[in-house]
PDB file of all heavy atoms in Angstrom:
ATOM      1  N   GLN C 462     120.319-138.533-214.257  1.00 97.00           N
ATOM      2  CA  GLN C 462     118.893-138.303-214.304  1.00 97.00           C
ATOM      3  C   GLN C 462     118.463-137.293-215.391  1.00 97.00           C
ATOM      4  O   GLN C 462     117.496-137.482-216.089  1.00 97.00           O
ATOM      5  CB  GLN C 462     118.335-137.832-212.845  1.00 97.00           C
ATOM      6  CG  GLN C 462     118.398-138.859-211.954  1.00 97.00           C
ATOM      7  CD  GLN C 462     117.725-138.505-210.648  1.00 97.00           C
ATOM      8  OE1 GLN C 462     116.648-137.868-210.632  1.00 97.00           O
ATOM      9  NE2 GLN C 462     118.286-138.910-209.480  1.00 97.00           N
ATOM     10  N   LEU C 463     119.306-136.215-215.741  1.00 96.00           N
ATOM     11  CA  LEU C 463     118.965-135.373-216.664  1.00 96.00           C
ATOM     12  C   LEU C 463     119.016-136.066-218.122  1.00 96.00           C
ATOM     13  O   LEU C 463     118.129-135.850-218.996  1.00 96.00           O
ATOM     14  CB  LEU C 463     119.900-134.239-216.783  1.00 96.00           C
ATOM     15  CG  LEU C 463     119.541-133.016-215.930  1.00 96.00           C
ATOM     16  CD1 LEU C 463     120.522-131.907-216.136  1.00 96.00           C
ATOM     17  CD2 LEU C 463     118.061-132.448-216.347  1.00 96.00           C
ATOM     18  N   LYS C 464     119.886-136.960-218.256  1.00 96.00           N
ATOM     19  CA  LYS C 464     119.987-137.734-219.591  1.00 96.00           C
ATOM     20  C   LYS C 464     118.790-138.673-219.713  1.00 96.00           C
ATOM     21  O   LYS C 464     118.291-138.790-220.828  1.00 96.00           O
ATOM     22  CB  LYS C 464     121.419-138.521-219.596  1.00 96.00           C
ATOM     23  CG  LYS C 464     122.527-137.730-219.914  1.00 96.00           C
ATOM     24  CD  LYS C 464     123.770-138.522-220.029  1.00 96.00           C
ATOM     25  CE  LYS C 464     124.935-137.511-220.215  1.00 96.00           C
ATOM     26  NZ  LYS C 464     126.306-138.132-220.174  1.00 96.00           N
ATOM     27  N   GLU C 465     118.326-139.315-218.597  1.00 96.00           N
ATOM     28  CA  GLU C 465     117.224-140.172-218.707  1.00 96.00           C
ATOM     29  C   GLU C 465     115.966-139.490-218.969  1.00 96.00           C
ATOM     30  O   GLU C 465     115.178-139.951-219.786  1.00 96.00           O
ATOM     31  CB  GLU C 465     117.096-140.923-217.299  1.00 96.00           C
ATOM     32  CG  GLU C 465     118.101-141.888-217.102  1.00 96.00           C
ATOM     33  CD  GLU C 465     118.011-142.627-215.616  1.00 96.00           C
ATOM     34  OE1 GLU C 465     117.089-142.136-214.843  1.00 96.00           O
ATOM     35  OE2 GLU C 465     118.805-143.467-215.350  1.00 96.00           O
ATOM     36  N   VAL C 466     115.818-138.314-218.363  1.00 96.00           N
ATOM     37  CA  VAL C 466     114.573-137.534-218.743  1.00 96.00           C
ATOM     38  C   VAL C 466     114.555-137.004-220.145  1.00 96.00           C
ATOM     39  O   VAL C 466     113.567-136.888-220.752  1.00 96.00           O
ATOM     40  CB  VAL C 466     114.360-136.458-217.545  1.00 96.00           C
ATOM     41  CG1 VAL C 466     115.147-135.183-217.818  1.00 96.00           C
ATOM     42  CG2 VAL C 466     112.880-136.070-217.585  1.00 96.00           C
ATOM     43  N   ALA C 467     115.762-136.656-220.580  1.00 94.00           N
ATOM     44  CA  ALA C 467     115.905-136.043-222.012  1.00 94.00           C
ATOM     45  C   ALA C 467     115.501-137.233-222.919  1.00 94.00           C
ATOM     46  O   ALA C 467     114.898-136.956-224.010  1.00 94.00           O
ATOM     47  CB  ALA C 467     117.335-135.681-222.305  1.00 94.00           C
ATOM     48  N   GLN C 468     115.785-138.466-222.721  1.00 95.00           N
ATOM     49  CA  GLN C 468     115.459-139.603-223.558  1.00 95.00           C
ATOM     50  C   GLN C 468     113.914-139.828-223.428  1.00 95.00           C
ATOM     51  O   GLN C 468     113.312-140.082-224.433  1.00 95.00           O
ATOM     52  CB  GLN C 468     116.166-140.815-223.048  1.00 95.00           C
ATOM     53  CG  GLN C 468     115.940-142.093-223.895  1.00 95.00           C
ATOM     54  CD  GLN C 468     116.365-141.980-225.309  1.00 95.00           C
ATOM     55  OE1 GLN C 468     117.341-141.261-225.605  1.00 95.00           O
ATOM     56  NE2 GLN C 468     115.580-142.483-226.241  1.00 95.00           N
ATOM     57  N   LYS C 469     113.355-139.565-222.233  1.00 92.00           N
ATOM     58  CA  LYS C 469     111.922-139.754-222.183  1.00 92.00           C
ATOM     59  C   LYS C 469     111.218-138.784-222.936  1.00 92.00           C
ATOM     60  O   LYS C 469     110.194-138.975-223.593  1.00 92.00           O
ATOM     61  CB  LYS C 469     111.498-139.638-220.629  1.00 92.00           C
ATOM     62  CG  LYS C 469     111.806-140.777-219.791  1.00 92.00           C
ATOM     63  CD  LYS C 469     111.395-140.513-218.382  1.00 92.00           C
ATOM     64  CE  LYS C 469     111.865-141.529-217.401  1.00 92.00           C
ATOM     65  NZ  LYS C 469     111.463-141.203-215.991  1.00 92.00           N
ATOM     66  N   ILE C 470     111.757-137.459-223.001  1.00 91.00           N
ATOM     67  CA  ILE C 470     111.045-136.334-223.698  1.00 91.00           C
ATOM     68  C   ILE C 470     111.264-136.689-225.218  1.00 91.00           C
ATOM     69  O   ILE C 470     110.220-136.492-225.934  1.00 91.00           O
ATOM     70  CB  ILE C 470     111.806-135.024-223.369  1.00 91.00           C
ATOM     71  CG1 ILE C 470     111.377-134.594-221.920  1.00 91.00           C
ATOM     72  CG2 ILE C 470     111.446-133.905-224.297  1.00 91.00           C
ATOM     73  CD1 ILE C 470     112.169-133.378-221.387  1.00 91.00           C
ATOM     74  N   LYS C 471     112.453-137.178-225.645  1.00 91.00           N
ATOM     75  CA  LYS C 471     112.644-137.512-227.036  1.00 91.00           C
ATOM     76  C   LYS C 471     111.648-138.548-227.432  1.00 91.00           C
ATOM     77  O   LYS C 471     111.003-138.466-228.506  1.00 91.00           O
ATOM     78  CB  LYS C 471     114.064-138.001-227.254  1.00 91.00           C
ATOM     79  CG  LYS C 471     114.409-138.420-228.646  1.00 91.00           C
ATOM     80  CD  LYS C 471     115.803-139.025-228.756  1.00 91.00           C
ATOM     81  CE  LYS C 471     115.903-139.387-230.189  1.00 91.00           C
ATOM     82  NZ  LYS C 471     117.163-140.420-230.320  1.00 91.00           N
ATOM     83  N   GLU C 472     111.378-139.707-226.649  1.00 89.00           N
ATOM     84  CA  GLU C 472     110.546-140.710-227.019  1.00 89.00           C
ATOM     85  C   GLU C 472     109.173-140.256-227.059  1.00 89.00           C
ATOM     86  O   GLU C 472     108.361-140.600-227.997  1.00 89.00           O
ATOM     87  CB  GLU C 472     110.662-141.811-226.003  1.00 89.00           C
ATOM     88  CG  GLU C 472     111.929-142.583-226.191  1.00 89.00           C
ATOM     89  CD  GLU C 472     112.262-143.626-225.047  1.00 89.00           C
ATOM     90  OE1 GLU C 472     111.332-143.814-224.148  1.00 89.00           O
ATOM     91  OE2 GLU C 472     113.393-144.138-225.020  1.00 89.00           O
ATOM     92  N   ALA C 473     108.718-139.318-226.218  1.00 86.00           N
ATOM     93  CA  ALA C 473     107.439-138.727-226.075  1.00 86.00           C
ATOM     94  C   ALA C 473     107.139-137.858-227.318  1.00 86.00           C
ATOM     95  O   ALA C 473     105.995-137.953-227.949  1.00 86.00           O
ATOM     96  CB  ALA C 473     107.180-138.016-224.810  1.00 86.00           C
ATOM     97  N   ARG C 474     108.134-137.171-227.781  1.00 86.00           N
ATOM     98  CA  ARG C 474     107.954-136.317-228.960  1.00 86.00           C
ATOM     99  C   ARG C 474     107.713-137.114-230.215  1.00 86.00           C
ATOM    100  O   ARG C 474     107.042-136.771-231.146  1.00 86.00           O
ATOM    101  CB  ARG C 474     109.209-135.440-229.168  1.00 86.00           C
ATOM    102  CG  ARG C 474     109.209-134.248-228.337  1.00 86.00           C
ATOM    103  CD  ARG C 474     110.434-133.349-228.749  1.00 86.00           C
ATOM    104  NE  ARG C 474     110.346-132.194-227.978  1.00 86.00           N
ATOM    105  CZ  ARG C 474     111.470-131.473-227.663  1.00 86.00           C
ATOM    106  NH1 ARG C 474     112.716-131.993-227.920  1.00 86.00           N
ATOM    107  NH2 ARG C 474     111.365-130.428-226.892  1.00 86.00           N
ATOM    108  N   GLU C 475     108.437-138.279-230.237  1.00 86.00           N
ATOM    109  CA  GLU C 475     108.249-139.241-231.417  1.00 86.00           C
ATOM    110  C   GLU C 475     106.882-139.722-231.536  1.00 86.00           C
ATOM    111  O   GLU C 475     106.472-140.244-232.492  1.00 86.00           O
ATOM    112  CB  GLU C 475     109.259-140.244-231.290  1.00 86.00           C
ATOM    113  CG  GLU C 475     110.670-139.784-231.536  1.00 86.00           C
ATOM    114  CD  GLU C 475     111.722-140.919-231.220  1.00 86.00           C
ATOM    115  OE1 GLU C 475     111.422-141.942-230.751  1.00 86.00           O
ATOM    116  OE2 GLU C 475     112.929-140.637-231.476  1.00 86.00           O
ATOM    117  N   GLN C 476     106.060-139.660-230.440  1.00 82.00           N
ATOM    118  CA  GLN C 476     104.677-140.231-230.566  1.00 82.00           C
ATOM    119  C   GLN C 476     103.706-139.243-231.231  1.00 82.00           C
ATOM    120  O   GLN C 476     102.506-139.577-231.429  1.00 82.00           O
ATOM    121  CB  GLN C 476     104.129-140.416-229.127  1.00 82.00           C
ATOM    122  CG  GLN C 476     104.930-141.581-228.426  1.00 82.00           C
ATOM    123  CD  GLN C 476     104.493-141.736-226.954  1.00 82.00           C
ATOM    124  OE1 GLN C 476     103.480-141.136-226.532  1.00 82.00           O
ATOM    125  NE2 GLN C 476     105.189-142.623-226.255  1.00 82.00           N
ATOM    126  N   GLY C 477     104.180-138.002-231.549  1.00 77.00           N
ATOM    127  CA  GLY C 477     103.318-137.088-232.281  1.00 77.00           C
ATOM    128  C   GLY C 477     102.821-136.015-231.588  1.00 77.00           C
ATOM    129  O   GLY C 477     103.496-135.348-230.793  1.00 77.00           O
ATOM    130  N   ASP C 478     101.539-135.775-231.628  1.00 75.00           N
ATOM    131  CA  ASP C 478     100.863-134.621-231.046  1.00 75.00           C
ATOM    132  C   ASP C 478     101.174-134.456-229.529  1.00 75.00           C
ATOM    133  O   ASP C 478     100.840-135.216-228.733  1.00 75.00           O
ATOM    134  CB  ASP C 478      99.304-134.759-231.179  1.00 75.00           C
ATOM    135  CG  ASP C 478      98.529-133.552-230.709  1.00 75.00           C
ATOM    136  OD1 ASP C 478      99.164-132.473-230.486  1.00 75.00           O
ATOM    137  OD2 ASP C 478      97.269-133.597-230.613  1.00 75.00           O
ATOM    138  N   LEU C 479     101.918-133.288-229.223  1.00 72.00           N
ATOM    139  CA  LEU C 479     102.341-133.039-227.912  1.00 72.00           C
ATOM    140  C   LEU C 479     101.191-132.397-227.040  1.00 72.00           C
ATOM    141  O   LEU C 479     101.272-132.326-225.799  1.00 72.00           O
ATOM    142  CB  LEU C 479     103.646-132.062-227.956  1.00 72.00           C
ATOM    143  CG  LEU C 479     104.752-132.675-228.659  1.00 72.00           C
ATOM    144  CD1 LEU C 479     105.945-131.593-228.509  1.00 72.00           C
ATOM    145  CD2 LEU C 479     105.255-133.900-227.946  1.00 72.00           C
ATOM    146  N   SER C 480     100.244-131.842-227.684  1.00 74.00           N
ATOM    147  CA  SER C 480      99.155-131.186-226.908  1.00 74.00           C
ATOM    148  C   SER C 480      98.306-132.184-226.021  1.00 74.00           C
ATOM    149  O   SER C 480      97.719-131.704-225.019  1.00 74.00           O
ATOM    150  CB  SER C 480      98.194-130.411-227.854  1.00 74.00           C
ATOM    151  OG  SER C 480      97.478-131.365-228.724  1.00 74.00           O
ATOM    152  N   GLU C 481      98.269-133.372-226.426  1.00 76.00           N
ATOM    153  CA  GLU C 481      97.512-134.399-225.637  1.00 76.00           C
ATOM    154  C   GLU C 481      98.498-135.521-225.175  1.00 76.00           C
ATOM    155  O   GLU C 481      98.028-136.658-225.105  1.00 76.00           O
ATOM    156  CB  GLU C 481      96.387-134.911-226.365  1.00 76.00           C
ATOM    157  CG  GLU C 481      95.319-133.861-226.618  1.00 76.00           C
ATOM    158  CD  GLU C 481      94.108-134.304-227.462  1.00 76.00           C
ATOM    159  OE1 GLU C 481      93.888-135.600-227.411  1.00 76.00           O
ATOM    160  OE2 GLU C 481      93.388-133.497-227.962  1.00 76.00           O
ATOM    161  N   ASN C 482      99.726-135.311-224.943  1.00 81.00           N
ATOM    162  CA  ASN C 482     100.671-136.267-224.751  1.00 81.00           C
ATOM    163  C   ASN C 482     101.089-136.291-223.208  1.00 81.00           C
ATOM    164  O   ASN C 482     101.874-135.523-222.912  1.00 81.00           O
ATOM    165  CB  ASN C 482     101.891-136.113-225.630  1.00 81.00           C
ATOM    166  CG  ASN C 482     102.867-137.322-225.552  1.00 81.00           C
ATOM    167  OD1 ASN C 482     102.986-137.919-224.490  1.00 81.00           O
ATOM    168  ND2 ASN C 482     103.511-137.565-226.642  1.00 81.00           N
ATOM    169  N   ALA C 483     100.437-137.145-222.429  1.00 87.00           N
ATOM    170  CA  ALA C 483     100.724-137.163-221.075  1.00 87.00           C
ATOM    171  C   ALA C 483     102.080-137.488-220.658  1.00 87.00           C
ATOM    172  O   ALA C 483     102.708-137.012-219.722  1.00 87.00           O
ATOM    173  CB  ALA C 483      99.701-138.128-220.305  1.00 87.00           C
ATOM    174  N   GLU C 484     102.775-138.411-221.455  1.00 88.00           N
ATOM    175  CA  GLU C 484     104.116-138.842-221.197  1.00 88.00           C
ATOM    176  C   GLU C 484     105.040-137.659-221.366  1.00 88.00           C
ATOM    177  O   GLU C 484     105.932-137.447-220.581  1.00 88.00           O
ATOM    178  CB  GLU C 484     104.501-139.998-222.067  1.00 88.00           C
ATOM    179  CG  GLU C 484     103.887-141.319-221.726  1.00 88.00           C
ATOM    180  CD  GLU C 484     102.536-141.463-222.441  1.00 88.00           C
ATOM    181  OE1 GLU C 484     102.120-140.677-223.265  1.00 88.00           O
ATOM    182  OE2 GLU C 484     101.894-142.497-222.059  1.00 88.00           O
ATOM    183  N   TYR C 485     104.758-136.865-222.366  1.00 89.00           N
ATOM    184  CA  TYR C 485     105.560-135.653-222.702  1.00 89.00           C
ATOM    185  C   TYR C 485     105.559-134.660-221.537  1.00 89.00           C
ATOM    186  O   TYR C 485     106.518-134.156-221.017  1.00 89.00           O
ATOM    187  CB  TYR C 485     105.167-134.973-223.903  1.00 89.00           C
ATOM    188  CG  TYR C 485     105.985-133.718-224.284  1.00 89.00           C
ATOM    189  CD1 TYR C 485     107.322-133.800-224.757  1.00 89.00           C
ATOM    190  CD2 TYR C 485     105.425-132.511-224.120  1.00 89.00           C
ATOM    191  CE1 TYR C 485     107.947-132.615-225.031  1.00 89.00           C
ATOM    192  CE2 TYR C 485     106.081-131.280-224.405  1.00 89.00           C
ATOM    193  CZ  TYR C 485     107.357-131.407-224.771  1.00 89.00           C
ATOM    194  OH  TYR C 485     108.079-130.265-225.099  1.00 89.00           O
ATOM    195  N   ASP C 486     104.240-134.452-221.029  1.00 90.00           N
ATOM    196  CA  ASP C 486     104.031-133.426-219.940  1.00 90.00           C
ATOM    197  C   ASP C 486     104.664-133.904-218.703  1.00 90.00           C
ATOM    198  O   ASP C 486     105.367-133.100-218.023  1.00 90.00           O
ATOM    199  CB  ASP C 486     102.525-133.273-219.753  1.00 90.00           C
ATOM    200  CG  ASP C 486     101.918-132.569-220.930  1.00 90.00           C
ATOM    201  OD1 ASP C 486     102.422-131.896-221.708  1.00 90.00           O
ATOM    202  OD2 ASP C 486     100.594-132.708-220.958  1.00 90.00           O
ATOM    203  N   ALA C 487     104.506-135.183-218.447  1.00 92.00           N
ATOM    204  CA  ALA C 487     105.180-135.837-217.156  1.00 92.00           C
ATOM    205  C   ALA C 487     106.624-135.676-217.242  1.00 92.00           C
ATOM    206  O   ALA C 487     107.311-135.268-216.284  1.00 92.00           O
ATOM    207  CB  ALA C 487     104.764-137.286-216.991  1.00 92.00           C
ATOM    208  N   ALA C 488     107.280-136.000-218.411  1.00 92.00           N
ATOM    209  CA  ALA C 488     108.769-135.864-218.608  1.00 92.00           C
ATOM    210  C   ALA C 488     109.262-134.457-218.523  1.00 92.00           C
ATOM    211  O   ALA C 488     110.265-134.129-217.794  1.00 92.00           O
ATOM    212  CB  ALA C 488     109.158-136.446-219.923  1.00 92.00           C
ATOM    213  N   ARG C 489     108.464-133.502-218.993  1.00 93.00           N
ATOM    214  CA  ARG C 489     108.860-132.107-218.842  1.00 93.00           C
ATOM    215  C   ARG C 489     108.776-131.589-217.491  1.00 93.00           C
ATOM    216  O   ARG C 489     109.602-130.848-216.954  1.00 93.00           O
ATOM    217  CB  ARG C 489     107.992-131.221-219.752  1.00 93.00           C
ATOM    218  CG  ARG C 489     108.178-131.396-221.245  1.00 93.00           C
ATOM    219  CD  ARG C 489     109.505-130.907-221.742  1.00 93.00           C
ATOM    220  NE  ARG C 489     109.501-129.524-221.561  1.00 93.00           N
ATOM    221  CZ  ARG C 489     110.512-128.783-221.932  1.00 93.00           C
ATOM    222  NH1 ARG C 489     111.607-129.224-222.410  1.00 93.00           N
ATOM    223  NH2 ARG C 489     110.480-127.453-221.761  1.00 93.00           N
ATOM    224  N   GLU C 490     107.818-132.055-216.669  1.00 95.00           N
ATOM    225  CA  GLU C 490     107.645-131.661-215.287  1.00 95.00           C
ATOM    226  C   GLU C 490     108.734-132.238-214.498  1.00 95.00           C
ATOM    227  O   GLU C 490     109.319-131.743-213.624  1.00 95.00           O
ATOM    228  CB  GLU C 490     106.323-132.260-214.674  1.00 95.00           C
ATOM    229  CG  GLU C 490     106.072-131.658-213.431  1.00 95.00           C
ATOM    230  CD  GLU C 490     104.633-131.919-212.882  1.00 95.00           C
ATOM    231  OE1 GLU C 490     103.840-132.099-213.661  1.00 95.00           O
ATOM    232  OE2 GLU C 490     104.502-132.183-211.699  1.00 95.00           O
ATOM    233  N   GLU C 491     109.175-133.625-214.749  1.00 96.00           N
ATOM    234  CA  GLU C 491     110.232-134.240-214.093  1.00 96.00           C
ATOM    235  C   GLU C 491     111.497-133.496-214.410  1.00 96.00           C
ATOM    236  O   GLU C 491     112.416-133.241-213.513  1.00 96.00           O
ATOM    237  CB  GLU C 491     110.307-135.710-214.637  1.00 96.00           C
ATOM    238  CG  GLU C 491     111.481-136.456-213.861  1.00 96.00           C
ATOM    239  CD  GLU C 491     111.537-137.943-214.387  1.00 96.00           C
ATOM    240  OE1 GLU C 491     110.678-138.440-215.177  1.00 96.00           O
ATOM    241  OE2 GLU C 491     112.456-138.598-213.913  1.00 96.00           O
ATOM    242  N   GLN C 492     111.702-132.988-215.565  1.00 96.00           N
ATOM    243  CA  GLN C 492     112.904-132.279-216.020  1.00 96.00           C
ATOM    244  C   GLN C 492     113.001-130.917-215.203  1.00 96.00           C
ATOM    245  O   GLN C 492     113.963-130.584-214.694  1.00 96.00           O
ATOM    246  CB  GLN C 492     112.902-131.992-217.490  1.00 96.00           C
ATOM    247  CG  GLN C 492     114.093-131.236-217.928  1.00 96.00           C
ATOM    248  CD  GLN C 492     114.063-130.925-219.380  1.00 96.00           C
ATOM    249  OE1 GLN C 492     113.016-130.509-219.992  1.00 96.00           O
ATOM    250  NE2 GLN C 492     115.204-131.133-220.140  1.00 96.00           N
ATOM    251  N   ARG C 493     111.864-130.262-215.007  1.00 97.00           N
ATOM    252  CA  ARG C 493     111.764-129.054-214.252  1.00 97.00           C
ATOM    253  C   ARG C 493     112.187-129.325-212.827  1.00 97.00           C
ATOM    254  O   ARG C 493     112.921-128.598-212.111  1.00 97.00           O
ATOM    255  CB  ARG C 493     110.419-128.350-214.332  1.00 97.00           C
ATOM    256  CG  ARG C 493     110.210-127.638-215.649  1.00 97.00           C
ATOM    257  CD  ARG C 493     108.910-126.765-215.469  1.00 97.00           C
ATOM    258  NE  ARG C 493     107.739-127.618-215.433  1.00 97.00           N
ATOM    259  CZ  ARG C 493     107.056-128.112-216.519  1.00 97.00           C
ATOM    260  NH1 ARG C 493     107.471-127.890-217.666  1.00 97.00           N
ATOM    261  NH2 ARG C 493     105.911-128.884-216.294  1.00 97.00           N
ATOM    262  N   ASP C 494     111.698-130.402-212.232  1.00 97.00           N
ATOM    263  CA  ASP C 494     111.993-130.824-210.927  1.00 97.00           C
ATOM    264  C   ASP C 494     113.520-131.033-210.689  1.00 97.00           C
ATOM    265  O   ASP C 494     114.050-130.599-209.732  1.00 97.00           O
ATOM    266  CB  ASP C 494     111.212-131.975-210.353  1.00 97.00           C
ATOM    267  CG  ASP C 494     109.725-131.635-210.239  1.00 97.00           C
ATOM    268  OD1 ASP C 494     109.378-130.417-210.176  1.00 97.00           O
ATOM    269  OD2 ASP C 494     108.897-132.669-210.200  1.00 97.00           O
ATOM    270  N   ILE C 495     114.143-131.831-211.637  1.00 96.00           N
ATOM    271  CA  ILE C 495     115.521-132.064-211.529  1.00 96.00           C
ATOM    272  C   ILE C 495     116.322-130.814-211.623  1.00 96.00           C
ATOM    273  O   ILE C 495     117.287-130.562-210.850  1.00 96.00           O
ATOM    274  CB  ILE C 495     115.890-133.022-212.646  1.00 96.00           C
ATOM    275  CG1 ILE C 495     115.223-134.465-212.318  1.00 96.00           C
ATOM    276  CG2 ILE C 495     117.356-133.227-212.785  1.00 96.00           C
ATOM    277  CD1 ILE C 495     115.378-135.493-213.553  1.00 96.00           C
ATOM    278  N   VAL C 496     116.063-129.967-212.608  1.00 97.00           N
ATOM    279  CA  VAL C 496     116.833-128.747-212.798  1.00 97.00           C
ATOM    280  C   VAL C 496     116.603-127.896-211.507  1.00 97.00           C
ATOM    281  O   VAL C 496     117.573-127.195-211.109  1.00 97.00           O
ATOM    282  CB  VAL C 496     116.253-127.968-214.034  1.00 97.00           C
ATOM    283  CG1 VAL C 496     116.852-126.496-214.177  1.00 97.00           C
ATOM    284  CG2 VAL C 496     116.703-128.684-215.391  1.00 97.00           C
ATOM    285  N   SER C 497     115.479-127.739-210.893  1.00 97.00           N
ATOM    286  CA  SER C 497     115.196-127.045-209.782  1.00 97.00           C
ATOM    287  C   SER C 497     116.087-127.521-208.592  1.00 97.00           C
ATOM    288  O   SER C 497     116.720-126.775-207.795  1.00 97.00           O
ATOM    289  CB  SER C 497     113.787-127.036-209.350  1.00 97.00           C
ATOM    290  OG  SER C 497     113.564-126.434-208.130  1.00 97.00           O
TER     291      SER C 497
END
Side-chain angles (χ1 to χ4, degrees):
Q462 292 188 38
L463 270 181
K464 286 182 181 172
E465 287 174 357
V466 79
Q468 183 62 33
K469 288 179 189 176
I470 291 170
K471 180 182 174 201
E472 290 169 5
R474 278 189 178 145
E475 291 171 355
Q476 293 176 9
D478 185 11
L479 297 180
S480 65
E481 295 181 18
N482 189 327
E484 288 86 9
Y485 177 78
D486 292 339
R489 292 291 295 181
E490 186 173 329
E491 183 181 354
Q492 183 183 44
R493 278 190 296 275
D494 291 345
I495 291 170
V496 169
S497 175

